[in-house]
Amino acid sequence: MTTSTSLVTGTDFICVPTKDFEKAKEFYGEVLGLRESKQWGDMLGKEFETGNLTIAVMQSDGFGLDFAPHTHPIALQVDDVHAARKELEAKGVEFAQDTIDSGVCHMAPFSDPDGNGLMLHHRYAPPDAKPTDLEATTAELTGREAS
């Protein structure tokens, strides 16, 4: 019997592109209230801590990259989606749609100033629970009608 070990042992951070580093720092640090951890020297990159994932904001052109926003959201865990949404709306954040109840969690999608997808998320059901109406939830997330 052979024992296999994974080449990958974890995730250090996820990169989020920006066109305006100062505006992105303000959004992630002040609007979302994430703790700043590491500045990438003199480079246009900075890390923010969510509790279990580091978000590295980096100005694309500062690294010789073309800017393209991430459209699939990073789900940011909160204790109460409705309360967190209200707080962010008071700070000027606009949400793409009404808060979604999937049958296992609440979700509220929005974007950062560069159009990168983010989402407030709270799972209220046990980890093994299944959505009560997966087709309807998918339709609600995508803006398409359920068949």
Side-chain angles (χ1 to χ4, degrees):
M1 179 183 212
T2 60
T3 304
S4 172
T5 59
S6 177
L7 176 68
V8 177
T9 60
T11 301
D12 286 332
F13 57 85
I14 181 169
C15 291
V16 174
T18 184
K19 295 180 284 187
D20 185 334
F21 184 61
E22 293 303 319
K23 193 172 185 179
K25 282 191 333 185
E26 179 183 340
F27 181 80
Y28 284 90
E30 295 177 27
V31 175
L32 293 183
L34 299 179
R35 183 179 62 81
E36 296 180 14
S37 58
K38 298 201 176 23
Q39 170 65 45
W40 294 0
D42 292 335
M43 298 182 287
L44 300 174
K46 185 179 226 31
E47 296 177 8
F48 294 86
E49 303 302 326
T50 68
N52 64 346
L53 177 69
T54 300
I55 295 176
V57 175
M58 55 186 286
Q59 186 166 315
S60 300
D61 63 2
F63 292 87
L65 302 169
D66 292 330
F67 172 80
H70 294 189
T71 57
H72 293 70
I74 299 170
L76 302 171
Q77 182 180 350
V78 296
D79 290 331
D80 182 332
V81 169
H82 299 289
R85 178 181 180 141
K86 187 174 180 178
E87 183 177 329
L88 290 180
E89 286 175 329
K91 294 179 178 182
V93 175
E94 295 181 11
F95 285 78
Q97 60 197 76
D98 291 337
T99 298
I100 301 161
D101 184 343
S102 72
V104 296
C105 63
H106 291 130
M107 301 176 274
F110 65 103
S111 297
D112 74 5
D114 287 295
N116 293 298
L118 299 169
M119 173 189 295
L120 298 177
H121 183 269
H122 177 75
R123 183 177 308 276
Y124 57 79
D128 60 346
K130 304 287 186 246
T132 54
D133 189 350
L134 184 57
E135 186 176 328
T137 300
T138 301
E140 195 173 351
L141 279 171
T142 61
R144 298 184 206 137
E145 289 189 28
S147 55

